[in-house]
Amino acid sequence: RDQVGAGGRGEMSAEWPNVPLREVLTERQETPPDYALISGEISVIAKIGFNDGKIQLRNDGKTKTKMILVRPGDLVISGINAAKGAVSFYGEENADPIAATIHYSSYIPDKTKIDIKYLWWLLRSNKFRDLLLEYVPGGIKTEIKAKRFLPVPIPLPPLDEQRRTVARIEELAARIEEAQDLRRRAAEEAEMLLNSKLSSIFKRFVQQNGLSKLGDLIVKAGYGTSTKCQYETVENSVPVLRIPNIASEKIDFSDMKYGVLGDKELKKVLVSEDDLLVVRTNGSADLVGRCAVVSELLGPTAFASYLIRIRCDPEVIYPYYLQLMLKHLRTEGKLFNFARTTAGQYNVSLGRLREAEIPVPPLDEQRRIVARLDELQAQVDRLKKHQVRTAEELDALLPAVLDRAFRGQL
């Protein structure tokens, strides 16, 4: 189709007229009765998902904010987050109305003029963001109320064309989602392959060498400093390794904080190369038990109280091998039983770590296995980097599809 040039207000299809939203939508101006909110007879919107436009409801109707009513078949938008995709259609299959705060607005679509799915996709597109920037004072940062929303012009083809456009969008969106699922599955399978390989090595070594308690292999262990740290360096301050520095299971010096410690405490919490640092407490169960080997140091370095430092006899155990064994136990849920504090933190103690059991083959075999699994990990990392690039490309596809759709180019 021929396209209108960029010189006009909004680049639309030459065949599609621009129609103000007020010609296809009417604001619903009903309010729910208080008793229905208090009793839970009418549920309240908690939020609308940015990515999928799905309505999530609150567990109770208690509120100090004025409310609006939403009936089945209504279009609902978040005045604050409409430009981010918080736009939904409360389906006609629902039997009961719901409510929302006055930061939302609800509209009755004129079905003789607008296909609600067409409108839903349009309002979630970059085209709509561009229209807000052009026609609404303050643009996308303005809370979108009916008086600002309804005058905004939209491209409105005939109903048959709207439905054809929706069918094409949904067909392409389904293909994009399928590609994204395949990418996610490939990443999961690569990680599973690594864990499976580690599991088989662990079992083979157990059969060949039996199990040894970690406590019998440790020559030095302890908790880190609770001294308050800051990003700025001051006189006599030293870098302090924290959870963010080992969360990736490698030492990362890019986000360091510094603390001033007395000589006695500093001596207790200085780390050495080949020490293993283990996360002992965190609000995320996935982080507790993660560990990293201190491979290099730029100078005297301490570690924080949320970590445990383990130093083993280098003539008996290779620290990178120990890291792999602890990763296997953590992945299998055999490293420790989580204890959660009243503050919502997960914890593991040094005592519990000492009780962990691992196989201990000869040192040269430990090094050989580490080198083998490092090579496999490098392959997985390369795959993940490639998947990140393809994920970005896939994420950009749907907005591109919508841009073409609302210019009449699908």
Side-chain angles (χ1 to χ4, degrees):
R1 291 188 176 94
D2 295 333
Q3 302 297 313
V4 174
R9 288 175 68 86
E11 185 183 336
M12 307 296 183
S13 166
E15 298 177 11
W16 293 2
N18 296 342
V19 175
L21 281 164
R22 62 173 169 263
E23 291 193 18
V24 296
L25 293 176
T26 303
E27 184 183 15
R28 186 177 294 284
Q29 296 182 322
E30 295 181 75
T31 56
D34 290 340
Y35 75 85
L37 292 171
I38 295 170
S39 68
E41 181 181 331
I42 292 181
S43 299
V44 179
I45 293 176
K47 64 179 180 178
I48 298 175
F50 293 168
N51 293 328
D52 57 14
K54 290 184 178 179
I55 292 173
Q56 297 180 34
L57 300 174
R58 286 185 352 206
N59 294 325
D60 64 74
K62 295 179 181 177
T63 180
K64 295 180 181 178
T65 307
K66 291 182 180 180
M67 308 293 280
I68 64 166
L69 194 70
V70 179
R71 293 195 180 276
D74 284 0
L75 175 80
V76 191
I77 73 167
S78 163
I80 298 171
N81 293 311
K84 296 179 181 178
V87 177
S88 189
F89 173 52
Y90 186 52
E92 293 179 329
E93 71 277 4
N94 294 291
D96 301 315
I98 56 176
T101 70
I102 56 172
H103 294 296
Y104 291 82
S105 50
S106 181
Y107 301 92
I108 308 162
D110 183 344
K111 295 181 185 177
T112 66
K113 297 179 180 178
I114 192 82
D115 182 280
I116 192 68
K117 288 185 178 179
Y118 172 86
L119 184 58
W120 183 77
W121 281 112
L122 173 60
L123 297 183
R124 292 170 57 78
S125 69
N126 288 333
K127 170 58 65 181
F128 178 59
R129 289 172 58 89
D130 292 344
L131 290 170
L132 290 181
L133 287 169
E134 186 171 3
Y135 289 95
V136 175
I140 60 176
K141 296 182 179 180
T142 303
E143 183 169 351
I144 307 300
K145 297 288 190 179
K147 66 180 181 180
R148 293 190 175 104
F149 178 64
L150 292 177
V152 174
I154 61 167
L156 192 69
L159 270 173
D160 286 348
E161 180 66 9
Q162 292 178 42
R163 291 169 185 144
R164 189 200 67 79
T165 300
V166 167
R168 185 66 175 141
I169 289 172
E170 291 182 345
E171 176 190 351
L172 295 172
R175 291 184 188 177
I176 293 168
E177 185 176 356
E178 182 181 2
Q180 289 172 328
D181 285 341
L182 288 172
R183 182 195 59 78
R184 281 191 291 267
R185 258 183 284 162
E188 290 168 1
E189 287 170 4
E191 196 64 42
M192 286 171 60
L193 173 64
L194 195 61
N195 291 336
S196 175
K197 192 70 176 174
L198 183 55
S199 178
S200 65
I201 290 169
F202 185 91
K203 290 174 183 176
R204 175 162 61 86
F205 281 171
V206 169
Q207 291 174 351
Q208 295 173 352
N209 305 278
L211 288 166
S212 300
K213 280 191 176 181
L214 181 55
D216 295 333
L217 307 170
I218 293 174
V219 296
K220 188 172 184 179
Y223 301 113
T225 178
S226 56
T227 296
K228 187 175 181 181
C229 299
Q230 58 189 18
Y231 284 110
E232 296 77 20
T233 58
V234 296
E235 187 177 359
N236 296 324
S237 65
V238 296
V240 179
L241 292 168
R242 302 165 296 119
I243 291 175
N245 304 116
I246 73 166
S248 64
E249 298 183 292
K250 292 181 180 178
I251 300 295
D252 179 3
F253 291 101
S254 65
D255 181 28
M256 293 300 299
K257 284 190 174 183
Y258 301 83
V260 178
L261 287 73
D263 292 341
K264 186 176 180 180
E265 183 182 17
L266 181 59
K267 187 176 179 181
K268 286 173 58 179
V269 297
L270 279 177
V271 294
S272 299
E273 290 185 5
D274 289 344
D275 281 354
L276 190 70
L277 295 177
V278 184
V279 177
R280 75 178 183 94
T281 183
N282 193 261
S284 168
D286 181 59
L287 278 176
V288 176
R290 288 198 179 198
C291 52
V293 177
V294 180
S295 58
E296 62 177 341
L297 292 170
L298 306 178
T301 304
F303 69 104
S305 60
Y306 285 171
L307 304 177
I308 296 172
R309 186 261 315 280
I310 294 174
R311 186 178 300 164
C312 292
D313 183 349
E315 299 298 321
V316 176
I317 193 159
Y318 186 42
Y320 294 96
Y321 171 80
L322 175 58
Q323 180 184 15
L324 286 175
M325 293 299 102
L326 292 183
K327 178 180 180 180
H328 166 73
L329 292 177
R330 178 175 60 83
T331 303
E332 295 290 310
K334 297 176 182 177
L335 184 56
F336 39 71
N337 297 319
F338 287 116
R340 197 167 188 179
T341 68
T342 53
Q345 298 279 66
Y346 292 94
N347 288 304
V348 60
S349 67
L350 175 56
R352 182 65 184 87
L353 278 173
R354 288 182 183 276
E355 294 298 313
E357 294 183 321
I358 63 169
V360 186
L363 269 175
D364 59 347
E365 182 70 1
Q366 294 178 35
R367 291 192 175 96
R368 187 179 69 80
I369 289 302
V370 168
R372 205 164 125 205
L373 289 180
D374 278 353
E375 184 180 343
L376 183 57
Q377 181 68 64
Q379 293 174 11
V380 171
D381 290 343
R382 285 194 292 271
L383 175 62
K384 285 181 177 178
K385 285 181 181 178
H386 174 69
Q387 287 167 339
V388 167
R389 290 195 297 271
T390 57
E392 291 170 351
E393 291 168 1
L394 287 170
D395 289 343
L397 277 179
L398 186 56
V401 165
L402 295 181
D403 286 347
R404 289 180 62 84
F406 300 116
R407 288 180 170 84
Q409 296 173 351
L410 276 191

